[in-house]
Amino acid sequence: MSFVKIDKLVKRYGSLSIFDGFDLAMENTDRLVLIGPSGCGKSTLLRCMMGLEDIAGGTIRLGDETYVEGAENGKMKLNRKVQKEVGMVFQHYTLFPHLSVLGNLCLAPVRSRGIGKAEAKDKAMDLLTRFGLADRAEFYPSQLSGGQKQRVAIARALMLDPKLMLFDEVTSALDPELVNEVENTMMALAEAGMPMMIVTHDMFFARNIATQVVFQERGKVIEAAPPEELFGNPREERTRNFLRNVLHIEG
Amino acid sequence: MDLSFGFLLEYSGVLFEGLLNTLKFVSLAAVLGLVWGFVLSLGRTSKSSAIYGLTTIYVEFFRGTPVLIQLFWVFFCLPLFLGIELSGFASSIIALTLYSGAIISESFRAALKSIERSQFDACTALGLSAGTRTLFVILPQAVLRAIPNLLSNVVSLFKESALVSAVGMTDLMYVGQNIANNVARPVEILTTVALIYFAIGFPLTRAVTFVEGRLLKVVKA
Amino acid sequence: MNYDFDWFYVKKGLPKLLEGLMVTLELTLWANAIGLVLGFLVALGMLTRIRLITWPLTAYIEFFRCTPALIQLVWFFFCVPILFNVWWSAEFMGILALGLNLAAFNAEAYRASIQSIPTAQTDACTALGLNVVQRIIFVILPQALLLSLPVLITNGIGIFQQSALVALISVQDLMYEGRYLATQTFRPIETLTTVALLYFAVSFPVSQMVTFVERRTSRLLQN
């Protein structure tokens, strides 16, 4: 049985239909990368996975538990226990600017999981050391570079021991020279065995980190395959066109 | 034209007392206004259309009418309305508080609205309860963001406070006009009063710009 | 509440109140005329960076922005006749004081909007071979005016409210007539409420218009 199973997802924005019966499955050894033209629902899918969006129909299962059950008129059912096992990092940092790095990392564990302050601090320092950011513990977000902010955001999510990590275009807003440090961090996380769903425009990174690449266009899966296959020998015409455009821009 | 500023020394004591009264009015109304303004801003961001409607009408009204008429209304009409006697001091404080509350609530409301939705998303992603989110993430940021506007509101309050002289309160303005009438040397005395107001208003206004600059760095992460 | 509401006197006094409103509107319009034109000139002066010009202008702006309008008004009323040996009416003094006050605030609005126009626009003008004067008249000015429009309107309506102060130097505007009527009829609640509503009836639509204008101009200037 799949680790993540999205079944017949229906999502609308007013009269605009984003997903109309969308299916996707993923194993807990998977690192799923979603690629496709802008505005076709990739970020929306991740947001649905995080429980940030209202779903009009369909179900999402995580492990052997029902996570989200869609229903019309905002009557969607969300299993908060399962939601706590999903972590997400966003495109625009969203660190809490009025708290230090340490403060950012410890807020949720202490206030929401009831973990002791000392214990949380130890864990936070551990993570920061692993990320090479230990000396920034008392810094405030405004004093960090974009890459550092994103890595802190990743650490903040990891403090809660998620079973699945979602990355929504986390390098798209960064200066090019800062992208590497974040992607390396994600790579290390991948090698440690974390299942992930990633939305990215960086095709080279996608190829390196993914176990499955899903090309999505206008709320539908056009093609899904392991990276060597999808990038090396795409089956669909539309996949080929997209890759040609994107890789041409990327150089 | 014959100007002489010497006599002013005689009146420096009275002027100083007038200034103290002005500052008393401003500080009291500022503190009360901050509390009242905060409460109003909760109403302005409430989901209930009744509460939102009422607070919006209140704020629009106090922003859309002269402070002078508000002051006169409280001074002349409120006692009749409530059937109790109100001292000039109480009326002035009430009127200034009602006015400053309205403009302060706008500062709080703007600050709340300016917090990006992604902050809320991050809280959901971290599994924070609504209470934790409001208390530890949203509120601190709203207060920080509101501070420059709040300071500017206090400056406005300081300037409007001169109106209490029109209902007989012995603030700086009243004292100045009084002396001018008695001594028939309006130029010297009124210029001095204006300069005293400036001596307070100018640093306050500069403080707003300064605070704005420092806060901008913290708030935009 | 021991008060007999009686709107009869208000109805009788309404014509007088409306006369006062006319005076208020006249004051406001003239003050705005001064405020808009003078404010712009002052803003230009502030941008010249010639100390001989910017320093006195800064003093003027800061003084009018940091002190109560009441003291400005009273000062004009009592001191200008003495200092300059002229005998102008209270209304004229009111317009002068309010106009100068408004000009100071408007100067800031103009300056902020001129400075917010991206330097890329100036560069584009240079690249197209436009000289400084052409650049100002055809590119910078129109955009600055549009950008500052919401603030200018807001300031303008602010002066409308501040104009009530002229009642304290015995100009027979709406505020003055209202107070007079209130004391004459012993009906402060009805008269003062009516006066407040009259002020509100003029301010509110204008302030709503500001939001509308803001939206349209921001869309236009987005490029």
Side-chain angles (χ1 to χ4, degrees), chain C:
Chain C
M1 178 170 69
N2 228 343
Y3 186 88
D4 262 321
F5 274 92
D6 190 349
W7 295 89
F8 168 72
Y9 286 104
V10 177
K11 266 186 259 184
K12 244 186 83 176
L14 202 57
K16 249 333 180 131
L17 286 181
L18 291 176
E19 259 182 60
L21 180 58
M22 286 302 129
V23 174
T24 295
L25 289 172
E26 229 188 282
L27 291 170
T28 307
L29 259 82
W30 281 110
N32 266 291
I34 298 178
L36 287 169
V37 176
L38 183 61
F40 185 70
L41 295 173
V42 171
L44 286 182
M46 288 293 281
L47 291 169
T48 59
R49 278 186 278 202
I50 303 172
R51 295 245 188 103
L52 213 59
I53 301 182
T54 59
W55 276 29
L57 285 182
T58 309
Y60 155 69
I61 293 180
E62 291 304 330
F63 185 78
F64 273 89
R65 284 193 343 141
C66 298
T67 54
L70 185 56
I71 189 71
Q72 296 163 16
L73 203 60
V74 167
W75 195 95
F76 264 78
F77 184 66
F78 285 109
C79 303
V80 167
I82 297 179
L83 283 176
F84 299 104
N85 236 327
V86 289
W87 296 102
W88 292 326
S89 67
E91 285 91 352
F92 191 78
M93 289 302 170
I95 291 175
L96 217 55
L98 291 173
L100 284 171
N101 180 299
L102 184 57
F105 283 95
N106 282 350
E108 272 302 286
Y110 285 123
R111 194 186 56 80
S113 64
I114 291 176
Q115 289 187 321
S116 77
I117 295 175
T119 45
Q121 294 269 313
T122 321
D123 294 342
C125 292
T126 314
L128 291 169
L130 296 172
N131 68 34
V132 182
V133 178
Q134 292 169 321
R135 182 174 77 215
I136 292 184
I137 300 180
F138 295 107
V139 178
I140 306 296
L141 198 57
Q143 291 188 60
L145 282 176
L146 273 178
L147 260 175
S148 49
L149 207 53
V151 186
L152 293 177
I153 301 178
T154 307
N155 289 350
I157 225 34
I159 278 297
F160 173 70
Q161 324 266 30
Q162 293 287 44
S163 74
L165 295 177
V166 301
L168 299 175
I169 53 174
S170 306
V171 174
Q172 291 171 321
D173 72 331
L174 176 57
M175 182 83 243
Y176 183 92
E177 297 290 358
R179 273 257 272 159
Y180 186 72
L181 193 64
T183 44
Q184 283 280 304
T185 62
F186 293 99
R187 306 247 140 254
I189 298 189
E190 294 94 319
T191 44
L192 293 185
T193 308
T194 308
V195 168
L197 288 172
L198 282 170
Y199 273 110
F200 189 65
V202 176
S203 304
F204 187 64
V206 177
S207 67
Q208 292 308 101
M209 195 176 72
V210 172
T211 331
F212 175 72
V213 169
E214 216 160 13
R215 232 178 300 156
R216 296 298 288 289
T217 54
S218 74
R219 225 185 303 160
L220 189 69
L221 293 171
Q222 232 168 52
N223 97 345

Side-chain angles (χ1 to χ4, degrees), chain B residues 23-60:
Chain B
L23 294 175
K24 263 190 242 178
F25 275 107
V26 176
S27 349
L28 191 53
V31 170
L32 293 173
L34 276 168
V35 177
W36 177 225
F38 182 71
V39 172
L40 280 172
S41 69
L42 294 176
R44 292 275 270 149
T45 47
S46 141
K47 300 250 170 64
S48 141
S49 41
I51 299 183
Y52 175 78
L54 276 172
T55 44
T56 303
I57 293 177
Y58 174 95
V59 170
E60 288 301 330

Side-chain angles (χ1 to χ4, degrees), chain B residues 108-132:
Chain B
F108 279 126
R109 191 175 77 100
L112 273 167
K113 271 177 75 171
S114 75
I115 297 179
E116 300 92 1
R117 218 244 312 220
S118 49
Q119 288 284 306
F120 290 83
D121 288 346
C123 292
T124 311
L126 291 170
L128 297 175
S129 72
T132 310

Side-chain angles (χ1 to χ4, degrees), chain A residues 19-240:
Chain A
F19 294 114
D20 196 13
F22 183 85
D23 295 325
L24 193 66
M26 178 180 150
E27 306 302 327
N28 70 352
T29 48
D30 259 331
R31 294 179 299 273
L32 204 82
V33 175
L34 296 162
I35 62 173
S38 296
C40 70
K42 305 192 304 292
S43 288
T44 313
L45 185 66
L46 249 47
R47 291 175 64 86
C48 291
M49 280 300 300
M50 190 65 245
L52 291 169
E53 300 283 343
D54 262 335
I55 300 176
T59 52
I60 303 180
R61 297 178 62 84
L62 190 69
D64 48 10
E65 298 207 50
T66 310
Y67 177 21
V68 185
E69 274 180 70
E72 299 282 350
N73 292 329
K75 299 262 193 280
M76 157 184 117
K77 278 201 274 188
L78 178 73
N79 186 334
R80 296 214 178 266
K81 201 170 71 85
V82 180
Q83 189 185 36
K84 291 199 175 182
E85 304 186 331
V86 180
M88 184 161 178
V89 183
F90 303 84
Q91 179 177 5
H92 293 289
Y93 330 122
T94 64
L95 293 183
F96 305 133
H98 59 298
L99 298 174
S100 67
V101 166
L102 214 53
N104 264 275
L105 259 54
C106 295
L107 181 68
V110 171
R111 297 281 163 200
S112 180
R113 301 286 174 98
I115 298 179
K117 281 198 195 157
E119 199 186 322
K121 184 167 177 206
D122 283 337
K123 185 169 181 176
M125 288 310 294
D126 229 17
L127 267 171
L128 288 175
T129 315
R130 249 173 66 192
F131 283 20
L133 289 169
D135 56 341
R136 300 270 191 265
E138 301 291 347
F139 278 40
Y140 280 81
S142 57
Q143 299 168 295
L144 303 175
S145 77
Q148 290 167 333
K149 279 189 259 201
Q150 285 299 55
R151 288 191 290 141
V152 171
I154 297 175
R156 184 175 68 173
L158 291 177
M159 285 288 289
L160 303 170
D161 297 318
K163 299 227 175 57
L164 171 70
M165 279 289 279
L166 308 173
F167 293 91
D168 187 5
E169 298 206 43
V170 301
T171 53
S172 299
L174 294 180
D175 290 334
E177 67 266 18
L178 300 173
V179 167
N180 262 338
E181 68 188 75
V182 178
E183 289 181 347
N184 289 339
T185 305
M186 287 168 70
M187 206 62 213
L189 201 60
E191 273 153 21
M194 173 68 76
M196 327 175 159
M197 283 174 83
I198 304 172
V199 173
T200 183
H201 287 312
D202 185 345
M203 296 302 144
F204 298 99
F205 178 60
R207 190 163 187 159
N208 283 336
I209 197 168
T211 55
Q212 272 275 77
V213 179
V214 175
F215 174 60
Q216 183 182 334
E217 204 181 51
R218 250 169 287 177
K220 296 222 181 305
V221 175
I222 307 297
E223 194 171 338
E228 316 78 45
E229 260 184 64
L230 192 126
F231 285 117
N233 200 3
R235 258 178 298 143
E236 298 291 326
E237 176 73 35
R238 288 201 276 189
T239 318
R240 276 201 288 271

